[in-house]
Amino acid sequence: MRAIKFLLQKEFRQIFRNRSILAMILVMPVMQLIILPLAANYEVKNINLSVVDHDHSSYSQKMITKIISSGYFRLTGYNRSYGEAFHLIESDEADVILEIPDGFERNLIREDEQKLLVAVNAINGVKANLGGAYLASIIRDYNQEIRIDFLQNNRFNVIPTIDVTSSNWFNPNLNYQVYMVPGILAVLVTMIGGFLTALNIVKEKEAGTIEQINVTPIRKHHFILGKLIPFWVLGNIVFTIGLLVAWLIYGIIPVGSLALLYGFVSIYLLAVLGLGLLVSTFCETQQQAMFIMFFFMMIFILLGGLFTAIDSMPEWAQVVTRFNPVSYLITVMRMVILKGSTFQDVAPHLGIIALFAIGLNGWAIVNYKKAS
Amino acid sequence: MKEAVIKTENLTKRFGDFIATNALTLEVYTGEIFGFLGANGAGKTTAMRMLCGLSIPSSGNATIAGYDVYRETERIKKNIGYMSQKFSLYEDLTVLENIRFFGGIYGLSDDEIARKSDALITQLGLQNEAKKLVSGLPLGWKQKLSFSVAVLHQPKIVFLDEPTGGVDPVTRRQFWNLIYDAAEKGVTVFVTTHYMDEAEYCNRVSIMVDGKIEALDTPHNLKKKFNAFSMDEVFYQLARGAQRAE
């Protein structure tokens, strides 16, 4: 056990002497937590709308005004023909075309029915989907308004409508930052822990210093512990910095228990560090380690439920996410920070992460060879 | 009676079809300075790595300090020191921190570490550099430091892989004085070199060509046998037929 003391001493000295690593540990999480949640926003605004109004009636005018005043759309074209408007889509100046046919007002009043054409530029999938949906809902709303107008004139029968009001639990204002910050923090902790560990050991391979270690009678698990502990401590520091940023800048205070959060992150870090260790045992150069870690990180982040909900992924992708430790941390962070979940709620996640930690570290110890 | 501290018998290492070290058979005795010569690519480093327990032999037998190279590598490691061809102390630690670290890894007590670091620093004349980062030291000093760290735990055998490569003649002389000091204290020295004047300093030398040992004797006997004036000539006669080169 005495060997571990010397290993730790050496590792911490090296970390504190390496300015770029220190900067990475302290500045990177703060910067990313400040920038990313502000930018990573699901709300779609500034949808460029081009209107082709063949009717030029007061009803069509009212509808267009209502659409523009919603704040989501920006009128970029007011064209005479669909063909003209389509040019705008081709040149990417418009995202959505709304075509109002001739006789819009007349048909609405006389025949109680009128069709509209909405054409969407689906190159940007999210914008197209949400833009189309917003437009449809505004038009539906407009439709209801004019019906109420008509009702007052007693020209139509009362049509019962179902009006749905929803309230957003745990994030009442649907503030995306509240949703994103815990997720981004989860990714940051993962990246820093995983990358630092993998690169650190491979760096020793490149420098040849690992050979000088391998020729000593040091025990394998002592060596691995000597590598794990420093980065485990650093991971916890990054996590703490992240929580402070979340509180100071976004006013997010965990609803659940801090002890539970730290407990989970502690076990989680062991799993991620284990992955880094394992990768390092397979790589000879830092370049190789970097690429392999990137490969995993891309999958972990994109299939982690940070940007896209896991529930809406195809079946096979949902199976993949079960083998993704990041998805568990993101879920648990959101559960504990936003919802105040307790130990019982996150126990299954904790169990799985513990299995990850044991499996990955065990494999790393077996795969770390002192002789070739 | 001379006691063999390194004993190998047909020790062989293959990498696929390539036989790096072919049927190495030799004995090295306690307290001896053994010169392990050979051209680049002859298989010296591979052989040495097997003897240190860093590389598992493909076939053959060997015992180091009485321990088997297959089964007792960790015991071997307690009894040997190793200095690789490439400088492999930590550049971002100071001289003292490196000594302390390796002393600790080899299980020395804090007391021993403190005493030995002092003695080492004085012996190497590094008083002014003790608290400086190793990366700033000139190569010659780095090599002397590596050697001292390799013998810090008083091993029975120390393996030196081209310890004086790229070092100036004065420093080389000082380095060999360190080797003699260690040998006098009973440490067996197993050293590879490309400098034939250094070969003359050894008690016995072996010359390896294309993975095989072609000659093994004292420098004096070798010169007689090959009818040569210097080890340089002996080496040249043997190694010019080599097929392998790096």
Side-chain angles (χ1 to χ4, degrees):
Chain A
M1 284 319 264
R2 228 172 96 77
I4 292 181
K5 175 187 129 188
F6 286 96
L7 281 166
L8 292 182
Q9 208 171 34
K10 163 207 158 246
E11 217 60 60
F12 277 114
R13 278 197 177 118
Q14 288 181 306
I15 290 166
F16 284 111
R17 256 172 218 158
N18 192 336
R19 293 282 156 84
S20 56
I21 285 200
L22 267 189
M24 203 169 129
I25 292 161
L26 302 175
V27 180
M28 199 176 94
V30 176
M31 295 258 292
Q32 299 204 344
L33 273 176
I34 291 175
I35 296 167
L36 292 181
L38 294 175
N41 194 326
Y42 294 134
E43 244 186 343
V44 175
K45 283 194 175 150
N46 304 325
I47 303 163
N48 296 320
L49 174 73
S50 179
V51 175
V52 185
D53 186 359
H54 296 295
D55 198 36
H56 300 289
S57 59
S58 67
Y59 268 63
S60 70
Q61 278 307 318
K62 245 199 240 169
M63 185 168 76
I64 294 166
T65 317
K66 184 173 168 60
I67 291 168
I68 303 303
S69 61
S70 70
Y72 292 105
F73 294 91
R74 195 162 57 188
L75 193 63
T76 49
Y78 197 80
N79 306 95
R80 277 173 300 171
S81 71
Y82 180 77
E84 223 175 87
F86 195 74
H87 278 305
L88 291 180
I89 282 206
E90 283 178 324
S91 62
D92 248 352
E93 285 167 61
D95 301 308
V96 181
I97 300 176
L98 172 66
E99 192 180 21
I100 303 167
D102 196 15
F104 171 71
E105 184 178 292
R106 188 188 57 223
N107 288 344
L108 253 187
I109 296 171
R110 284 202 194 143
E111 294 172 26
D112 187 21
E113 188 180 302
Q114 177 56 53
K115 286 200 163 66
L116 288 168
L117 173 73
V118 173
V120 178
N121 176 6
I123 295 267
N124 182 341
V126 176
K127 217 171 181 184
N129 255 328
L130 285 177
Y134 287 167
L135 198 56
S137 114
I138 294 170
I139 293 171
R140 195 167 48 239
D141 209 33
Y142 174 72
N143 190 23
Q144 232 161 43
E145 271 174 36
I146 51 175
R147 271 161 196 285
I148 289 165
D149 266 356
F150 292 158
L151 276 179
Q152 284 166 348
N153 297 338
N154 275 333
R155 290 187 53 179
F156 286 93
N157 294 326
V158 178
I159 302 165
T161 53
I162 298 174
D163 198 13
V164 180
T165 1
S166 57
S167 64
N168 303 302
W169 277 81
F170 309 119
N171 186 1
N173 302 322
L174 260 194
N175 183 346
Y176 281 101
Q177 287 156 14
V178 168
Y179 181 67
M180 292 306 283
V181 168
I184 290 174
L185 182 53
V187 169
L188 275 176
V189 168
T190 312
M191 296 251 295
I192 288 186
F195 271 99
L196 284 185
T197 328
L199 291 183
N200 179 282
I201 296 184
V202 179
K203 190 181 148 204
E204 290 223 23
K205 281 191 185 175
E206 279 186 347
T209 48
I210 198 143
E211 193 142 290
Q212 203 64 49
I213 298 272
N214 285 343
V215 82
T216 69
I218 193 167
R219 309 283 296 273
K220 271 202 304 191
H221 64 273
H222 285 176
F223 177 75
I224 290 206
L225 274 178
K227 288 288 180 195
L228 273 185
I229 295 169
F231 295 108
W232 182 85
V233 172
L234 286 182
N236 274 304
I237 293 176
V238 168
F239 181 62
T240 308
I241 294 175
L243 284 183
L244 286 175
V245 171
W247 170 52
L248 292 173
I249 295 186
Y250 301 101
I252 300 172
I253 298 165
V255 182
S257 120
L258 267 181
L260 180 61
L261 267 183
Y262 273 98
F264 190 87
V265 167
S266 294
I267 308 278
Y268 174 81
L269 273 170
L270 288 182
V272 173
L273 300 184
L275 176 73
L277 283 174
L278 184 62
V279 167
S280 77
T281 61
F282 283 107
C283 298
E284 292 305 319
T285 67
Q286 295 191 61
Q287 260 181 348
Q288 290 171 357
M290 197 83 177
F291 272 112
I292 295 184
M293 284 309 282
F294 257 121
F295 170 77
F296 282 114
M297 286 298 165
M298 286 293 280
I299 294 176
F300 283 176
I301 293 169
L302 292 178
L303 289 182
L306 176 61
F307 300 113
T308 41
I310 290 174
D311 297 330
S312 53
M313 289 177 191
E315 196 80 19
W316 62 266
Q318 293 196 26
V319 173
V320 174
T321 63
R322 277 185 224 136
F323 297 95
N324 177 0
V326 179
S327 74
Y328 294 95
L329 181 63
I330 291 178
T331 311
V332 169
M333 291 270 268
R334 285 177 177 160
M335 280 166 81
V336 178
I337 294 182
L338 305 183
K339 222 161 91 174
S341 298
T342 60
F343 178 76
Q344 274 78 21
D345 302 319
V346 304
H349 302 79
L350 192 65
I352 292 169
I353 285 299
L355 283 182
F356 268 111
I358 295 166
L360 288 167
N361 285 297
W363 190 0
I365 291 181
V366 170
N367 209 45
Y368 168 56
K369 297 257 167 25
K370 283 181 80 178
S372 56
Chain B
M1 180 64 201
K2 285 187 283 190
E3 190 197 345
V5 72
I6 301 175
K7 212 190 237 173
T8 75
E9 210 180 304
N10 293 323
L11 197 64
T12 301
K13 179 81 181 186
R14 276 185 221 95
F15 297 104
D17 289 338
F18 181 74
I19 303 175
T21 306
N22 194 354
L24 189 75
T25 303
L26 56 79
E27 284 191 353
V28 177
Y29 307 113
T30 307
E32 192 172 34
I33 299 177
F34 189 89
F36 196 57
L37 313 186
N40 290 330
K44 300 187 302 286
T45 301
T46 310
M48 197 180 257
R49 287 171 52 86
M50 282 192 285
L51 300 181
C52 293
L54 285 174
S55 174
I56 301 157
S58 310
S59 62
N61 295 310
T63 54
I64 313 296
Y67 299 111
D68 185 80
V69 285
Y70 294 99
R71 288 175 290 110
E72 299 170 302
T73 50
E74 297 311 294
R75 291 246 175 96
I76 291 176
K77 285 170 184 172
K78 275 202 182 93
N79 289 290
I80 62 164
Y82 171 71
M83 176 179 167
S84 79
Q85 205 167 0
K86 191 174 166 193
F87 179 72
S88 48
L89 297 185
Y90 290 96
E91 302 253 2
D92 49 357
L93 293 182
T94 68
V95 173
L96 262 178
E97 285 163 358
N98 266 297
I99 297 174
R100 210 182 127 64
F101 172 67
F102 282 103
I105 294 294
Y106 277 108
L108 303 189
S109 70
D110 289 336
D111 212 41
E112 277 176 298
I113 292 174
R115 207 156 31 78
K116 293 214 164 173
S117 340
D118 276 351
L120 256 182
I121 302 255
T122 321
Q123 188 189 13
L124 297 176
L126 284 171
Q127 287 91 338
N128 293 325
E129 279 76 22
K131 295 205 168 130
K132 286 188 189 153
L133 294 188
V134 165
S135 57
L137 290 182
L139 181 67
W141 284 7
K142 279 186 185 171
Q143 297 297 81
K144 285 192 272 181
L145 179 65
S146 311
F147 175 75
S148 307
V149 168
V151 294
L152 192 67
H153 58 292
Q154 288 171 307
K156 288 197 178 128
I157 313 157
V158 61
F159 292 90
L160 310 172
D161 196 357
E162 284 182 39
T164 54
V167 168
D168 70 71
V170 177
T171 316
R172 263 172 61 200
R173 202 43 168 284
Q174 293 169 344
F175 195 94
W176 272 87
N177 284 334
L178 291 175
I179 292 181
Y180 279 128
D181 279 352
E184 259 169 48
K185 285 177 195 150
V187 178
T188 307
V189 179
F190 189 96
V191 57
T192 75
T193 179
H194 286 307
Y195 297 107
M196 289 307 133
D197 57 329
E198 292 184 358
E200 309 263 6
Y201 302 152
C202 300
N203 299 121
R204 287 192 306 147
V205 300
S206 72
I207 298 178
M208 222 177 162
V209 179
D210 290 346
K212 284 189 191 136
I213 290 187
E214 294 292 336
L216 197 167
D217 213 330
T218 63
H220 180 75
N221 288 349
L222 281 177
K223 279 186 281 189
K224 231 178 7 193
K225 186 174 162 195
F226 288 88
N227 202 9
F229 290 107
S230 64
M231 277 307 292
D232 220 45
E233 266 179 67
V234 174
F235 186 84
Y236 189 72
Q237 283 186 35
L238 282 167
R240 75 179 152 195
Q243 306 292 309
R244 288 184 346 209
E246 262 173 338

